[in-house]
């Protein structure tokens, strides 16, 4: 009887230990998943990603990067200014009346920070301005 | 002690007289009593050990149970908090001052005609996943902007394919359904009007639909039949028109 009582305690200790480690494993995996998601959606990670994509694929892909990665924050203001001008170019390209879109693209170039984006937008302006 | 038989002196703990061999009854009795006592002692010792071990195990089990339970509760609490704060569909972003700030930014973006940016902010922070329940004042416009963004992305990808010299990416059946949803939303806000003009422009100037065909598309129900030149092969018809126009 006494051996039975002790063996009951031994069993309980084993069960508690197994449950404990299972719960800890679950918490660890969940925490790791959440951490990974948080890192992928962090502002710094997304900013690095958009900079990398711009270097790899060119300024033409800025809008795609902004859209697919949900980059709406203020830190992406410069990219959105380019994207707005780019969309104006796209609308103007397939529009009969191009003047408003040329003006919009020119407006971006007047305040553009220079660099690769300005060159790309200049190219778009020339294309829109062709008769 | 003296032997009862021969009277010789010998140690009282000896079982026999060393001289005549007579059994020492007293020592024998004591030896038997000692044996009985030893046996009883061992049994009692084992019993006490067993009981003591049981007590220790009981306390250990109880203590482990409490400690493990406490650690598990704390761990789950931390995970639950982290999930609330950092998960993809958390309500954290739509409480208190953050919700007010989100609404303000959405209004600002819409005013500045950064429609897609406004939609991205709303969809990223809305845990109801595209229903915009937390932004009811903008829900209709945001829903239209979402559908419009799908159309725009398709146009951009198609245009990119065309510019790279690949095959033309014409209007597909899924694009038609998206446009039917967009046109049929029932929203009549100035933003919807502006977006409608833009989508009309893409259909006319890029996919080469006529004004009459665009009107037919607007009037067709979502998922309903839409034909071009009497054919349900929208993709084939638009592709041939695009090729004819852009390769001039």
């Amino acid at each position: 009887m006494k051996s039975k009582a002790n063996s009951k305690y031994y069993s309980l200790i084993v069960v508690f230990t197994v449950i404990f480690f299972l719960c800890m494993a679950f918490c660890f995996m969940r925490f790791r998943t959440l951490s990974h998601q948080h890192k992928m959606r962090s502002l710094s990670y997304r900013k690095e990603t958009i900079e990398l994509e711009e270097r790899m694929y060119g300024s033409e892909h800025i809008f795609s990067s902004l859209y697919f990665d949900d980059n709406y924050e203020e830190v992406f203001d410069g990219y959105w200014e380019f994207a707005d001008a780019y969309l104006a170019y796209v609308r103007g390209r397939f529009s009969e009346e191009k003047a408003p879109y040329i003006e919009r693209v020119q407006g971006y170039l007047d305040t553009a920070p220079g660099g690769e984006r300005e060159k790309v937008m200049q190219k778009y302006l020339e294309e829109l301005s062709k008769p | 002690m003296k032997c009862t038989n021969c009277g010789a002196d010998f140690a009282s703990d000896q079982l026999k007289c060393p001289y005549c061999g007579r059994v020492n009854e007293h020592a024998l009795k004591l030896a038997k009593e000692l044996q009985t006592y030893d046996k009883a002692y061992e049994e009692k010792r084992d019993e006490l050990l067993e009981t003591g071990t049981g007590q220790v195990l009981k306390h250990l089990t109880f203590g482990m149970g409490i400690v493990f339970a406490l650690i598990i509760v704390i761990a789950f609490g931390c995970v639950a908090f982290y999930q609330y704060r950092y998960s993809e569909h958390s309500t954290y972003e739509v409480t208190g001052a953050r919700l007010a700030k989100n609404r303000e930014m959405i209004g600002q973006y819409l005013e500045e005609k950064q429609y897609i940016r406004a939609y991205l902010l709303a969809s990223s922070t809305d845990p109801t996943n595209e229903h915009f329940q937390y932004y009811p004042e903008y829900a209709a416009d945001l829903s239209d902007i979402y559908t419009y963004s799908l159309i725009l992305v398709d146009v951009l990808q198609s245009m990119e394919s065309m510019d790279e010299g690949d095959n033309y990416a014409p209007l597909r059946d899924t694009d038609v359904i998206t446009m039917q949803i967009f046109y049929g939303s029932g929203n009549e806000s100035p933003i919807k009007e502006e977006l409608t003009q833009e989508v009309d422009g893409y259909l006319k100037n890029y996919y080469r639909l006529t004004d009459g065909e665009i009107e037919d598309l607007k009037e067709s129900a979502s998922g309903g039949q839409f034909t071009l030149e009497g054919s349900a092969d929208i993709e084939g018809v638009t592709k041939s028109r695009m090729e004819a126009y852009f390769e001039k």
Side-chain angles (χ1 to χ4, degrees), chain A residues 85-94 101 105 124 127-128, chain B residues 159:
Chain A
Y86 171 73
L87 291 177
Y89 153 72
V90 170
R91 291 173 195 129
R93 185 176 170 182
F94 302 110
Y101 306 108
V105 171
Y124 292 151
E127 189 182 322
L128 278 182
Chain B
M159 189 181 78

Side-chain angles (χ1 to χ4, degrees), chain B:
Chain B
M1 69 178 284
K2 282 189 182 305
C3 176
T4 53
N5 188 36
C6 65
D9 280 327
F10 64 93
S12 60
D13 58 348
Q14 286 181 293
L15 288 175
K16 287 184 185 172
C17 173
Y19 302 103
C20 67
R22 178 68 180 264
V23 172
N24 182 356
E25 297 289 341
H26 180 67
L28 190 64
K29 184 182 166 190
L30 279 177
K32 282 183 182 171
E33 281 177 3
L34 197 62
Q35 201 176 18
T36 308
Y37 174 76
D38 282 345
K39 191 176 172 189
Y41 170 78
E42 280 178 11
E43 283 175 1
K44 191 68 182 174
R45 183 193 63 188
D46 289 344
E47 183 187 322
L48 285 173
L49 268 176
E50 194 76 23
T51 309
T53 305
Q55 288 289 324
V56 168
L57 282 174
K58 182 178 165 186
H59 291 308
L60 181 65
T61 307
F62 190 64
M64 274 180 74
I66 290 181
V67 169
F68 282 174
L70 208 62
I71 294 173
I72 287 170
V73 164
I74 291 172
F76 273 106
C78 290
V79 168
F81 172 75
Y82 209 69
Q83 172 131 354
Y84 166 71
R85 176 63 183 86
Y86 297 116
S87 74
E88 200 169 342
H89 297 292
S90 163
T91 55
Y92 176 79
E93 294 291 339
V94 287
T95 52
R98 280 178 293 278
L99 179 59
K101 176 78 178 164
N102 291 345
R103 286 197 177 122
E104 186 191 322
M105 292 310 296
I106 290 172
Q108 181 183 320
Y109 290 148
L110 291 176
E111 211 172 309
E112 293 171 358
K113 297 186 186 293
Q114 291 190 316
Y115 301 136
I116 291 184
R117 197 173 186 183
Y119 156 71
L120 291 178
L121 191 165
S123 70
S124 299
T125 56
D126 190 336
T128 61
N129 201 23
E130 312 298 356
H131 296 294
F132 310 115
Q133 289 179 16
Y134 286 87
Y135 310 107
E137 64 272 40
Y138 303 117
D141 281 333
L142 290 172
S143 187
D144 283 331
I145 293 168
Y146 165 61
T147 321
Y148 156 79
S149 73
L150 297 177
I151 297 169
L152 177 65
V153 165
D154 277 340
V155 168
L156 292 176
Q157 287 175 344
S158 172
M159 189 181 78
E160 186 181 329
S161 175
M162 181 178 76
D163 290 343
E164 287 173 1
D166 294 336
N167 287 333
Y168 287 92
L171 201 60
R172 299 162 300 178
D173 292 336
T174 48
D175 296 331
V176 168
I177 293 172
T178 306
M179 290 182 183
Q180 285 170 330
I181 293 170
F182 173 74
Y183 284 127
S185 75
N187 181 23
E188 293 180 357
S189 70
I191 291 176
K192 176 66 186 290
E193 202 179 311
E194 192 180 327
L195 297 179
T196 299
Q197 284 178 5
E198 185 175 329
V199 173
D200 287 352
Y202 293 138
L203 283 170
K204 184 175 177 183
N205 301 313
Y206 184 63
Y207 290 115
R208 312 310 301 170
L209 267 64
T210 63
D211 291 336
E213 287 164 346
I214 294 172
E215 286 307 311
D216 287 342
L217 178 58
K218 287 180 184 178
E219 285 167 14
S220 63
S222 175
Q225 183 73 17
F226 174 70
T227 58
L228 288 177
E229 297 175 3
S231 167
D233 181 18
I234 310 296
E235 203 168 322
V237 172
T238 52
K239 186 173 178 183
S240 59
R241 290 184 186 182
M242 289 167 78
E243 283 173 351
Y245 182 78
F246 291 112
E247 286 175 6
K248 277 195 278 196

